Amino acid sequence: MRFTRIHVLVIGLIVIVALAVAFGMAYARPQLAALSETRDQVEEQRTVAYTMLPELRKLADAQANYELKEQQTYAYMSRMPEISTDRYQGMIDLWKEYASTSGPRMVHYVIRQPGVIAPTGFSLPPPPTTPLDPIPIITVPVGDFGIRAASLPAIIAFLRAIGKAPRMATVSNVSISGSSPSLSVSMPLTMYLVTRWGLPGPGEKPVVAAPAETQPGGGRPTPPRGDDDDDDDDDE
Amino acid sequence: MIKINLLPSYILERARIRRAIGWVVALLVIELLAFGFATLKIRSAVTAEKERLAYWTAEAQKVAAVQALTSQVVADTAPYERWVTWFTGLERHNDRLADYLQELATYIYKRVRISSLSVDNASKQVVLTGRTDSLESLARYYLNALRGPFTNVGLQTSISGWNLAGAPPLAPQPGPGGLPWDQFASLPVTLTCTMQAGIYPPSAPAAAKTVIGTGGPRPGTAPTGDDDDDDDDDDDDDE
């Protein structure tokens, strides 16, 4: 068989097609696939990046909420006595609180409520005489608490006013007897004292969960400080 | 004029083959140039996309940083949220008790004179003791209480059956005291009711401790309180 022009053309055509296919399969196709994948990633990242404004708004809202809650918390804490985190000083602070602060402030507040004739009793238990445990909240039952009031509306108004008393307090039971205008009301009261273990100073992270029973100084008891008198009479 | 080619055919074929090879080579060169051009285009597109990816990735990382900061702020706020919720719950607790008394008062019939009222959250018992002037008033009082914020209503009174002998026992007797009510208020009545839900103060966000024990848990305290949020603003009844 003789080699002719047709053979050359056919062979040439085959070579050209083979080269094109090889180029496409070996180079163009993988590169284009990688390009497509890169474009998809760009779209994903761009979608995320476009959420910057809403995220900034969320951050601003979160920061505003943080400041608000912090202010509210410390506003409530202004109704709390200063009870030190030092176990011995804390115990002494409680002595003063029980013996001379809470009682008078609460009674002054009670007698200023409209419709209340007089309190019939208010007694705090003896304060602790052991070093204070590091607990955030001290619950104090107030014994014999009662009032004489002029009417049921006055009693209801007094119950609402208890929530704004100088110390946080709640009433669980109410017992009313007598007749207007001199009703006798007995209502066991529970006071709540939040220590600095629950809420340290502004700017520090508050401890929510009560820590385990440990001494703040780490083993060796700290002798009590001198007399810190921070009773100030800003009464309600 | 007739063209006569005196060259042999194999020489003519050789020339044709050379021309064909030339065409094939030319096509090959064009194809290689096309490959080169395509390669450059693809490379530049890939480079451009990689630059875009780097830019948008950096932007997305900024968003992630903002989100992380937001999460941190939310986490820092959580303790204060819990304290504020607790404090406001304490304030609101007494309001709820006041609301309950106010609602209770609306269900006390006006012709009943209450001499004592007690609300005990621990047992969820409400006890109202008083006097009224007639069976009709007693019935009205009782039926009102059945519509009140209670689940069980128990009535104790002293209704006697009719007796032919002597004065009719149901006639009202003058009572003690000088108030106009007392001459009618001769029928004693005690209602013992169960609250639909107790009113408990909120749980503290951290462990609380009774510093001086009074011998047990505080009355009316439950770890997860039932909430009674019934509000009723009608309150015109005096005791």
Side-chain angles (χ1 to χ4, degrees):
Chain A
M1 186 173 165
R2 291 172 65 179
F3 192 69
T4 64
R5 178 178 60 177
I6 298 297
H7 294 118
V8 170
L9 288 173
V10 167
I11 291 167
L13 196 61
I14 290 169
V15 167
I16 287 168
V17 169
L19 277 177
V21 168
F23 176 76
M25 299 291 286
Y27 180 78
R29 182 192 271 192
Q31 289 292 312
L32 288 173
L35 182 64
S36 173
E37 196 179 314
T38 306
R39 283 191 179 141
D40 291 342
Q41 289 173 354
V42 166
E43 277 312 304
E44 273 178 31
Q45 299 298 320
R46 189 163 66 173
T47 305
V48 171
Y50 280 173
T51 61
M52 176 62 96
L53 265 182
E55 291 297 332
L56 284 173
R57 270 190 224 114
K58 280 188 203 171
L59 177 62
D61 290 344
Q63 284 170 334
N65 187 47
Y66 175 85
E67 284 167 14
L68 174 67
K69 295 299 174 194
E70 190 185 34
Q71 282 168 10
Q72 285 178 335
T73 303
Y74 287 107
Y76 280 116
M77 282 301 291
S78 65
R79 291 162 63 181
M80 295 296 158
E82 292 280 341
I83 297 176
S84 170
T85 54
D86 180 275
R87 297 184 72 203
Y88 291 87
Q89 187 59 44
M91 176 183 70
I92 295 169
D93 292 339
L94 270 189
W95 291 351
K96 294 175 189 168
E97 179 65 22
Y98 278 48
S100 59
T101 309
S102 284
R105 283 193 183 179
M106 290 293 280
V107 169
H108 280 139
Y109 181 78
V110 165
I111 62 180
R112 281 205 296 274
Q113 299 311 308
V116 173
I117 298 167
T120 56
F122 189 103
S123 68
L124 290 174
T129 49
T130 53
L132 197 60
D133 292 330
I135 50 170
I137 301 172
I138 299 173
T139 305
V140 184
V142 177
D144 306 324
F145 181 64
I147 59 171
R148 278 196 303 124
S151 62
L152 181 61
I155 295 168
I156 291 172
F158 176 74
L159 277 175
R160 296 192 197 282
I162 281 283
K164 302 282 188 287
R167 294 287 183 260
M168 298 295 296
T170 58
V171 174
S172 290
N173 305 323
V174 176
S175 180
I176 307 172
S177 60
S179 56
S180 290
S182 182
L183 295 168
S184 294
V185 186
S186 167
M187 47 175 83
L189 204 63
T190 304
M191 274 193 340
Y192 300 88
L193 307 177
V194 179
T195 69
R196 291 299 178 231
W197 279 107
L199 280 161
E204 299 175 33
K205 295 271 168 70
V207 174
V208 177
E213 295 226 359
T214 54
Q215 292 185 4
R220 192 188 163 118
T222 316
R225 296 202 293 271
D227 196 351
D228 291 344
D229 193 332
D230 48 354
D231 275 0
D232 42 336
D233 268 350
D234 44 287
D235 41 354
E236 286 242 11
Chain B
M1 193 166 164
I2 297 169
K3 262 185 135 174
I4 299 171
N5 199 336
L6 297 175
L7 286 172
S9 61
Y10 70 91
I11 292 176
L12 290 172
E13 191 59 31
R14 215 182 282 165
R16 285 192 205 110
I17 287 171
R18 276 199 293 271
R19 277 201 296 275
I21 290 172
W23 279 112
V24 167
V25 166
L27 284 174
L28 275 172
V29 167
I30 290 169
E31 188 183 33
L32 289 172
L33 285 173
F35 289 163
F37 180 72
T39 303
L40 284 173
K41 286 288 281 185
I42 290 173
R43 273 197 199 159
S44 68
V46 167
T47 304
E49 282 304 311
K50 283 185 179 169
E51 284 173 7
R52 288 178 70 208
L53 180 62
Y55 171 76
W56 287 113
T57 303
E59 294 296 309
Q61 282 169 353
K62 290 178 192 171
V63 172
V66 169
Q67 287 173 336
L69 190 57
T70 306
S71 300
Q72 182 60 47
V73 171
V74 168
D76 289 347
T77 308
Y80 289 121
E81 290 260 18
R82 287 194 277 271
W83 280 108
V84 170
T85 301
W86 182 66
F87 281 126
T88 52
L90 285 184
E91 282 187 334
R92 177 74 187 125
H93 166 77
N94 299 318
D95 284 345
R96 283 162 48 213
L97 193 57
D99 293 341
Y100 187 78
L101 282 183
Q102 202 156 345
E103 185 182 10
L104 190 63
T106 66
Y107 289 92
I108 297 175
Y109 184 47
K110 59 185 176 184
R111 294 185 75 83
V112 174
R113 188 179 185 87
I114 301 292
S115 58
S116 79
L117 180 157
S118 74
V119 175
D120 185 337
N121 261 299
S123 58
K124 294 205 281 188
Q125 289 285 298
V126 176
V127 180
L128 298 107
T129 304
R131 304 183 78 85
T132 187
D133 60 344
S134 65
L135 288 181
E136 288 74 22
S137 301
L138 174 66
R140 189 80 173 263
Y141 179 45
Y142 180 60
L143 293 174
N144 273 0
L146 290 176
R147 297 193 336 259
F150 312 116
T151 54
N152 295 314
V153 178
L155 175 70
Q156 292 100 44
T157 186
S158 61
I159 305 172
S160 303
W162 188 82
N163 192 339
L164 180 63
L170 292 180
Q173 302 294 320
L179 295 172
W181 263 100
D182 293 337
Q183 61 182 306
F184 300 108
S186 65
L187 195 56
V189 55
T190 300
L191 274 183
T192 307
C193 316
T194 305
M195 296 164 74
Q196 286 172 344
I199 302 171
Y200 304 111
S203 302
K209 174 182 170 184
T210 301
V211 175
I212 302 298
T214 55
R218 285 179 290 116
T221 304
T224 52
D226 298 329
D227 282 352
D228 179 19
D229 276 338
D230 287 344
D231 279 347
D232 194 306
D233 285 335
D234 294 343
D235 121 279
D236 284 327
D237 283 319
D238 275 2
E239 289 195 85

